[in-house]
Each structure stands twice: as structure tokens, then as C-alpha cells.
Amino acid sequence: MIPESLKKTLEARVASAITAREAAVDVMKELQAHYGWLTDEAVGEAASLLGLSPLQVEELATFYEMIYRRPVGKKVIHVCDSISCWCVDCEGIIEHLKKKLGVGLGETTADGMFTLLPCCCMGMCGDGPAMSVGDVPYGKLTPELVDEILEMERQKA
């Protein structure tokens, strides 16, 4: 159950939207921030706040790749595997990340720090290969730069 202050904030966001659906992503992201991922309970709460059915919220949640319907690590790494990044060896970066973190795509490190997810495009085609950690984008990746970023992100946690 969400705190009353968060509920009021979300109700205000929904009330200020032209349609409830317009506020859906904001509501889901706030609930995700509260729970760590969009739990089934959060889907029900979002549906109640938005005046939608849980199935409608589920449909929206599974459309957006930044909404997580399963538990994720403290930091989520999205690594771009678009054609532009593929042309500059994103596969090598993905393999390096998998080896360095000891996980496959879609998995979370044993310490719960990182979840590694592929991303169809980050809009950084001129800076590929690219990845983001949380909301921070990184481009022109090399294995050495990836190691530095992972260390820096661990220290920031």
C-alpha cells in the first residue's frame, strides 16, 4: 500500500491530465520508484488511480521498456543493440558486460546491484555503442570505459 502523501500526489497528477491515460506513465513510474518495480499490487493501485482496469494498466506497463514488471537490481543497465550500435560492435560490449557482471541479458547480478537489459534504440546512434545506467547515458563505449563506468556506478550506489 502506498503512503497517503504519494497517493495524493498521484491523484493530483491524474486530475491535472486531460485524460487519465495521459498520466499513466507518470503514475507507473512513481509507483515503480516506490516499490522498486511495478508489482501486481502497484498495477492494481495504478488502475484504481487512473480509473482503468488492471489489464489496461498491464498492457501499458508491458509496452514501455522502462517499466519493470519483475524485480530489478538497484541500477538497470540498458545496452543498445540497434543496427547502428551493432555496426560498431555492441555485441562485443554486451559480451563484455555479461562476462564482467556474471549475468546474461535480462538477469540481475548476485549482489542485486545491476540488471542487464537489451534496448532496441537509445537515440545515440552517432555515439554507439551506447548504454545507460539508470538515467545516465554513456556512448562510444570500449571495454575499458565500461569497466570504469561500472566501478563509478558502484561507488555512487
PDB file of all heavy atoms in Angstrom, residues 1 30 41-42 95 98 116 120 129 135 144 156:
ATOM      1  N   MET A   1       0.848  -1.183   0.000  1.00  0.00           N
ATOM      2  CA  MET A   1       0.000   0.000   0.000  1.00  0.00           C
ATOM      3  C   MET A   1       0.891   1.243   0.000  1.00  0.00           C
ATOM      4  O   MET A   1       1.878   1.316   0.719  1.00  0.00           O
ATOM      5  CB  MET A   1      -0.908  -0.015   1.217  1.00  0.00           C
ATOM      6  CG  MET A   1      -1.841   1.147   1.276  1.00  0.00           C
ATOM      7  SD  MET A   1      -3.047   0.883   2.592  1.00  0.00           S
ATOM      8  CE  MET A   1      -4.474   1.535   1.824  1.00  0.00           C
ATOM      9  N   GLU A  30       6.163   6.467 -10.795  1.00  0.00           N
ATOM     10  CA  GLU A  30       6.199   6.812  -9.370  1.00  0.00           C
ATOM     11  C   GLU A  30       5.967   5.575  -8.497  1.00  0.00           C
ATOM     12  O   GLU A  30       6.621   5.407  -7.474  1.00  0.00           O
ATOM     13  CB  GLU A  30       5.156   7.882  -9.056  1.00  0.00           C
ATOM     14  CG  GLU A  30       5.520   9.259  -9.562  1.00  0.00           C
ATOM     15  CD  GLU A  30       6.777   9.838  -8.902  1.00  0.00           C
ATOM     16  OE1 GLU A  30       7.007   9.588  -7.704  1.00  0.00           O
ATOM     17  OE2 GLU A  30       7.521  10.526  -9.617  1.00  0.00           O
ATOM     18  N   GLU A  41       0.508  -5.485  -7.011  1.00  0.00           N
ATOM     19  CA  GLU A  41      -0.207  -4.556  -6.143  1.00  0.00           C
ATOM     20  C   GLU A  41      -0.187  -3.145  -6.746  1.00  0.00           C
ATOM     21  O   GLU A  41      -1.209  -2.450  -6.764  1.00  0.00           O
ATOM     22  CB  GLU A  41       0.434  -4.537  -4.757  1.00  0.00           C
ATOM     23  CG  GLU A  41      -0.239  -3.594  -3.782  1.00  0.00           C
ATOM     24  CD  GLU A  41       0.447  -3.566  -2.414  1.00  0.00           C
ATOM     25  OE1 GLU A  41       1.469  -4.251  -2.217  1.00  0.00           O
ATOM     26  OE2 GLU A  41      -0.053  -2.846  -1.535  1.00  0.00           O
ATOM     27  N   ALA A  42       0.969  -2.755  -7.274  1.00  0.00           N
ATOM     28  CA  ALA A  42       1.098  -1.423  -7.887  1.00  0.00           C
ATOM     29  C   ALA A  42       0.237  -1.309  -9.142  1.00  0.00           C
ATOM     30  O   ALA A  42      -0.327  -0.242  -9.407  1.00  0.00           O
ATOM     31  CB  ALA A  42       2.563  -1.136  -8.217  1.00  0.00           C
ATOM     32  N   GLU A  95      28.844  -8.736 -24.662  1.00  0.00           N
ATOM     33  CA  GLU A  95      29.594  -9.900 -24.149  1.00  0.00           C
ATOM     34  C   GLU A  95      30.503  -9.488 -22.996  1.00  0.00           C
ATOM     35  O   GLU A  95      30.637 -10.223 -22.012  1.00  0.00           O
ATOM     36  CB  GLU A  95      30.397 -10.567 -25.272  1.00  0.00           C
ATOM     37  CG  GLU A  95      29.525 -11.306 -26.260  1.00  0.00           C
ATOM     38  CD  GLU A  95      28.594 -12.329 -25.601  1.00  0.00           C
ATOM     39  OE1 GLU A  95      29.056 -13.103 -24.747  1.00  0.00           O
ATOM     40  OE2 GLU A  95      27.382 -12.327 -25.928  1.00  0.00           O
ATOM     41  N   LYS A  98      28.287  -8.984 -19.925  1.00  0.00           N
ATOM     42  CA  LYS A  98      27.832 -10.274 -19.412  1.00  0.00           C
ATOM     43  C   LYS A  98      28.948 -10.955 -18.613  1.00  0.00           C
ATOM     44  O   LYS A  98      28.712 -11.473 -17.522  1.00  0.00           O
ATOM     45  CB  LYS A  98      27.357 -11.171 -20.562  1.00  0.00           C
ATOM     46  CG  LYS A  98      26.039 -10.702 -21.171  1.00  0.00           C
ATOM     47  CD  LYS A  98      25.722 -11.309 -22.512  1.00  0.00           C
ATOM     48  CE  LYS A  98      25.580 -12.777 -22.560  1.00  0.00           C
ATOM     49  NZ  LYS A  98      25.189 -13.276 -23.909  1.00  0.00           N
ATOM     50  N   LEU A 116      20.919  -6.293 -16.328  1.00  0.00           N
ATOM     51  CA  LEU A 116      21.384  -6.033 -17.689  1.00  0.00           C
ATOM     52  C   LEU A 116      20.262  -6.326 -18.682  1.00  0.00           C
ATOM     53  O   LEU A 116      19.775  -7.455 -18.754  1.00  0.00           O
ATOM     54  CB  LEU A 116      22.603  -6.916 -17.999  1.00  0.00           C
ATOM     55  CG  LEU A 116      23.240  -6.767 -19.368  1.00  0.00           C
ATOM     56  CD1 LEU A 116      23.759  -5.352 -19.580  1.00  0.00           C
ATOM     57  CD2 LEU A 116      24.371  -7.787 -19.522  1.00  0.00           C
ATOM     58  N   CYS A 120      16.305  -1.566 -27.777  1.00  0.00           N
ATOM     59  CA  CYS A 120      16.260  -1.549 -29.257  1.00  0.00           C
ATOM     60  C   CYS A 120      16.842  -0.270 -29.834  1.00  0.00           C
ATOM     61  O   CYS A 120      17.348  -0.274 -30.941  1.00  0.00           O
ATOM     62  CB  CYS A 120      14.853  -1.790 -29.754  1.00  0.00           C
ATOM     63  SG  CYS A 120      13.683  -0.523 -29.291  1.00  0.00           S
ATOM     64  N   PRO A 129      29.019   2.290 -29.668  1.00  0.00           N
ATOM     65  CA  PRO A 129      28.000   1.579 -28.903  1.00  0.00           C
ATOM     66  C   PRO A 129      27.646   2.346 -27.633  1.00  0.00           C
ATOM     67  O   PRO A 129      28.480   3.034 -27.057  1.00  0.00           O
ATOM     68  CB  PRO A 129      28.645   0.232 -28.589  1.00  0.00           C
ATOM     69  CG  PRO A 129      30.113   0.432 -28.723  1.00  0.00           C
ATOM     70  CD  PRO A 129      30.311   1.576 -29.674  1.00  0.00           C
ATOM     71  N   ASP A 135      19.377   6.592 -15.366  1.00  0.00           N
ATOM     72  CA  ASP A 135      19.028   7.641 -16.324  1.00  0.00           C
ATOM     73  C   ASP A 135      20.245   8.263 -17.007  1.00  0.00           C
ATOM     74  O   ASP A 135      20.108   9.221 -17.752  1.00  0.00           O
ATOM     75  CB  ASP A 135      18.241   8.760 -15.615  1.00  0.00           C
ATOM     76  CG  ASP A 135      16.895   8.288 -15.115  1.00  0.00           C
ATOM     77  OD1 ASP A 135      16.330   7.344 -15.726  1.00  0.00           O
ATOM     78  OD2 ASP A 135      16.395   8.856 -14.125  1.00  0.00           O
ATOM     79  N   GLU A 144      37.213  -1.019 -21.673  1.00  0.00           N
ATOM     80  CA  GLU A 144      37.865  -0.286 -20.585  1.00  0.00           C
ATOM     81  C   GLU A 144      36.935   0.787 -20.015  1.00  0.00           C
ATOM     82  O   GLU A 144      36.859   0.969 -18.794  1.00  0.00           O
ATOM     83  CB  GLU A 144      39.167   0.365 -21.089  1.00  0.00           C
ATOM     84  CG  GLU A 144      40.236  -0.616 -21.516  1.00  0.00           C
ATOM     85  CD  GLU A 144      39.988  -1.234 -22.909  1.00  0.00           C
ATOM     86  OE1 GLU A 144      39.220  -0.648 -23.703  1.00  0.00           O
ATOM     87  OE2 GLU A 144      40.544  -2.314 -23.166  1.00  0.00           O
ATOM     88  N   LYS A 156      28.810   5.174  -6.576  1.00  0.00           N
ATOM     89  CA  LYS A 156      27.712   6.128  -6.378  1.00  0.00           C
ATOM     90  C   LYS A 156      26.539   5.504  -5.628  1.00  0.00           C
ATOM     91  O   LYS A 156      25.716   6.215  -5.070  1.00  0.00           O
ATOM     92  CB  LYS A 156      27.210   6.659  -7.730  1.00  0.00           C
ATOM     93  CG  LYS A 156      28.145   7.625  -8.391  1.00  0.00           C
ATOM     94  CD  LYS A 156      27.595   8.390  -9.575  1.00  0.00           C
ATOM     95  CE  LYS A 156      26.620   7.731 -10.464  1.00  0.00           C
ATOM     96  NZ  LYS A 156      26.304   8.437 -11.699  1.00  0.00           N
TER      97      LYS A 156
END
